[in-house]
């Protein structure tokens, strides 16, 4: 009930506030426009007065320095000394007089340049006293260009903001020409340290005001930001002249007109509007003919203290007070006429929500709230009727759900029982497969067994599934041994069964006394496997068989014989990797010819020759990046790179190459690789 009261009161007061704002908006806009016009009017006077005051602060002390520099340049002793700089008496008299001028100068320093010798003399507090030249000016040096330009174009004095690279000093220099009758014989003057000059005369004590000095062209001579000062511009020795016109986003033409008007009427202040530093500002300037400088002030009227904010604050306070009084009066009327009757109706609704349908409603009045009360009573009767119907439906549905729950529980028990039986069957199958793997591995030649036949070797036997369709088989006899690598049809359990058939066939065909003809071994294996599969054929025709590479080594002749059925022999005898291709005829398939004339290749088994046999699982493996098989070209390149490695290192190199090429691609087939070297 209290929450409803607060919400309605807040909304009503908010509505009144919005209405007041809409009504007061135009008035506030008109008032603000008047304030802005007043700000511009008073800002005009503020900018003019600030500029005149700043001009006085600059003109008097700088004019005094110029006059003192002229006296120094007109000194008789100075002229005599410039004619005879090595005369002892003239030297002593001049430097004694120069000490007095140094004490009078604001910067407590002086300089003299002899135009004949181009010797530069300087004494100041920052340098130890010396009557010898500090350096000699060079006509071709850009650092000394200011002097030669000044001597050509200036007849009296000039103010030059510049850096003396020899003295490492940046100052406002007062350069005075030294005349001897009608001939220029040198230059004398003083310097005011730039940082101190800016602090004394251009320090922006007032917020929103940017004071500056420009010459008659608008080139910046002094600015609170030293980076904007065009050093050496007065002597035409500046590399870059920064003009005030370039700093204004607009108003360059108006600035030129204002500077012309100020020069034609010294002492007057010209004003214009321009955009400076992305802000609309009032620019005021006056001309100081003695210094040949414009004193400029840029005033941001919104940041400068142009108007007193007291009367503005008083007006805002009055409007805010009127606004608050209206809200109080309106709030009281809303509470008496609307909120209290609604609170009573809200109380009845709360009791109804708690389940008490016998709640009594407040008396209905003749206004809109009374209509709401009557409508609420009708709603209560409908709620009572609907509640009775819903309770009956709930009882009915509850009974149905109980029956379905019993059925679901029985179905759950049956599913759990079936799952347990399936899990047990899968466990039994996995145990059988693992046992078959153990039997298969026991019938194949291991790497350790192969080491008993050759001087060094490695084997890689990597099934796609638990059981492999590839075999490594060997058999010894008196004069040597036989070694075979075979790839049977399929992989996993079907491939494993075929490997047992292939091993059995080899054991039956190869005689313990040796192999007279390796061609007959492949023919015999093909025939035996065909007979085995024919005896156990089902209704569908068998499409099973194998490929094989067979090596037979004779110790007496030091010769290795190779016969291949779709499996090649790779070897390296020092002249690079070579491939001995097997015949394109498979073994044991119904379509295979058991009398196929396989070709037997004989090779001298030198001690340094490396031999390699591999099934197509390695060559046909697809790479993740290329999407193409590894292929014989990559394999032979890898075998060539392994020259000089031990067989342990060769095995790891092949595995690393396969892993890098395969990436995330799944293994497509069983992979078998055998590498060996004969003694």
């Amino acid at each position: 009930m209290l929450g409803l009261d607060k919400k309605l009161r807040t909304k009503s007061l908010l509505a009144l506030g919005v209405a007041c704002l809409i009504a007061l908006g135009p008035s506030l806009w008109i008032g603000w426009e008047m304030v802005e016009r007043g700000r511009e009017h008073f800002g005009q006077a503020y900018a003019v007065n600030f500029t005149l005051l700043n001009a006085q602060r600059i003109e008097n002390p700088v004019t005094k320095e110029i006059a003192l520099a002229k006296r120094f340049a007109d000194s008789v002793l100075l002229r005599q000394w410039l004619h005879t700089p090595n005369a002892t008496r003239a030297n002593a008299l001049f430097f004694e007089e120069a000490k007095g001028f140094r004490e009078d100068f604001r910067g407590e320093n002086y300089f003299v340049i002899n135009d004949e010798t181009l010797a530069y003399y300087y004494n100041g507090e920052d340098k130890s006293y010396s009557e010898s030249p500090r350096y000699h000016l060079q006509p071709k040096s850009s650092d000394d260009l200011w002097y030669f330009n000044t001597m050509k174009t200036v007849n009296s004095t000039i103010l030059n903001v510049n850096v003396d690279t020899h003295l490492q000093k940046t100052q406002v220099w007062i350069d005075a020409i030294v005349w001897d009758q009608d001939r220029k014989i040198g230059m004398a003057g003083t310097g005011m340290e730039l940082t101190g000059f800016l602090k004394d005369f251009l320090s922006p004590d007032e917020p929103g005001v940017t004071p500056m000095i420009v010459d008659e062209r608008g080139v910046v001579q002094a600015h609170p930001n030293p980076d904007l000062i065009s050093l050496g511009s007065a002597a035409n020795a500046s590399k870059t002249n920064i003009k005030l016109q370039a700093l204004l986003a607009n108003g360059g033409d108006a600035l030129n007109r204002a500077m012309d008007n100020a020069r034609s009427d010294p002492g007057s202040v010209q004003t214009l509007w321009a955009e400076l530093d992305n802000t609309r500002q009032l620019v005021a300037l006056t001309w100081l003919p003695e210094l040949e400088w414009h004193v400029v002030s840029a005033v941001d009227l919104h940041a400068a203290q142009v108007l007193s904010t007291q009367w503005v604050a008083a007006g805002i306070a009055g409007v805010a007070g009127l606004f608050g009084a209206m809200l109080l009066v309106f709030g009281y009327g809303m509470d008496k006429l609307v909120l209290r009757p609604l609170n009573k109706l809200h109380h009845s609704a709360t009791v109804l929500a708690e389940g008490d349908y016998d709640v009594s409603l407040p008396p209905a009045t003749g206004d809109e709230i009374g209509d709401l009360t009557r409508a609420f009573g009708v709603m209560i009767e409908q709620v009572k009727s609907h509640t009775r119907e819903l309770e009956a439906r709930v009882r009915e549905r509850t009974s149905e759900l109980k029956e379905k729950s019993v059925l679901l529980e029985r179905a759950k028990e049956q599913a759990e029982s079936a799952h347990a039986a399936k899990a047990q069957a899968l466990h039994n199958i996995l145990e059988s497969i693992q046992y078959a793997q153990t039997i298969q591995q026991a019938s194949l030649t291991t790497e350790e067994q192969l080491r008993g036949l050759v001087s060094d070797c490695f084997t890689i036997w990597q099934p796609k599934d638990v059981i492999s369709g590839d075999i490594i088989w060997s058999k010894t006899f008196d004069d040597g041994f036989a070694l075979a690598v075979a790839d049977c049809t399929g992989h996993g359990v079907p491939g494993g069964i075929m490997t047992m058939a292939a091993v059995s066939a080899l054991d039956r065909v190869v005689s313990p006394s040796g192999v007279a003809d390796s061609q007959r071994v492949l023919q015999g294996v093909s025939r035996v496997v065909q007979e085995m599969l024919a005896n156990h054929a089902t209704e569908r025709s068998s499409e099973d068989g194998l490929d094989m590479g067979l090596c037979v080594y004779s110790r007496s002749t030091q010769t290795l014989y190779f016969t291949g059925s779709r499996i090649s022999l790779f070897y390296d005898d020092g002249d690079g990797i070579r491939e001995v291709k097997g015949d394109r005829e498979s073994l044991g398939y119904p379509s295979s010819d058991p009398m196929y004339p396989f070709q037997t290749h004989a090779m001298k088994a030198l001690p340094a020759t490396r031999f390699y046999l591999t099934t197509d699982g390695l060559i046909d493996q697809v790479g993740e990046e290329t999407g193409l098989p590894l292929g014989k070209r990559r394999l032979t390149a890898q075998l060539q790179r392994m020259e000089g490695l031990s067989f342990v290192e060769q095995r790891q190199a092949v595995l690393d190459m396969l892993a890098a090429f395969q990436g995330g691609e799944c293994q497509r087939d069983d992979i078998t690789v055998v590498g060996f070297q004969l003694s």
Side-chain angles (χ1 to χ4, degrees), residues 164-280:
D164 190 316
T165 58
H166 302 285
L167 299 178
Q168 295 297 312
K169 295 180 67 64
T170 303
Q171 303 210 37
V172 181
W173 300 97
I174 301 176
D175 302 334
I177 305 299
V178 181
W179 289 84
D180 184 10
Q181 295 181 359
D182 59 350
R183 186 169 66 90
K184 298 177 182 179
I185 62 172
M187 182 184 295
T190 183
M192 293 177 285
E193 200 270 325
L194 180 61
T195 303
F197 181 85
L198 297 176
K199 181 178 180 182
D200 292 341
F201 301 120
L202 292 184
S203 178
D205 296 330
E206 296 295 331
V209 181
T210 305
M212 63 191 88
I213 297 173
V214 301
D215 65 9
E216 61 182 0
R217 299 170 297 167
V219 178
V220 178
Q221 303 296 310
H223 195 283
N225 182 2
D227 294 336
L228 298 179
I229 299 175
S230 300
L231 300 177
S233 60
N236 295 321
S238 176
K239 296 180 180 178
T240 56
N241 287 335
I242 301 177
K243 291 187 175 183
L244 179 57
Q245 292 91 327
L247 300 180
L248 303 180
N250 52 29
D253 294 337
L255 176 65
N256 290 331
R257 289 193 298 271
M259 291 194 298
D260 292 340
N261 294 336
R263 285 194 297 272
S264 63
D265 186 13
S268 66
V269 178
Q270 305 296 322
T271 60
L272 66 143
W273 287 99
E275 186 174 338
L276 178 64
D277 297 332
N278 298 321
T279 305
R280 184 173 181 266

Side-chain angles (χ1 to χ4, degrees), residues 326-337:
M326 292 175 63
L327 289 178
L328 289 175
V329 172
F330 185 77
Y332 176 77
M334 281 290 298
D335 183 72
K336 182 174 181 61
L337 300 176

Side-chain angles (χ1 to χ4, degrees), residues 606-627:
L606 301 176
T609 304
R610 298 177 289 138
F611 298 94
Y612 302 95
L613 289 168
T614 178
T615 60
D616 60 4
L618 176 63
I619 297 172
D620 295 342
Q621 176 59 48
V622 175
E624 178 183 16
E625 293 185 1
T626 64

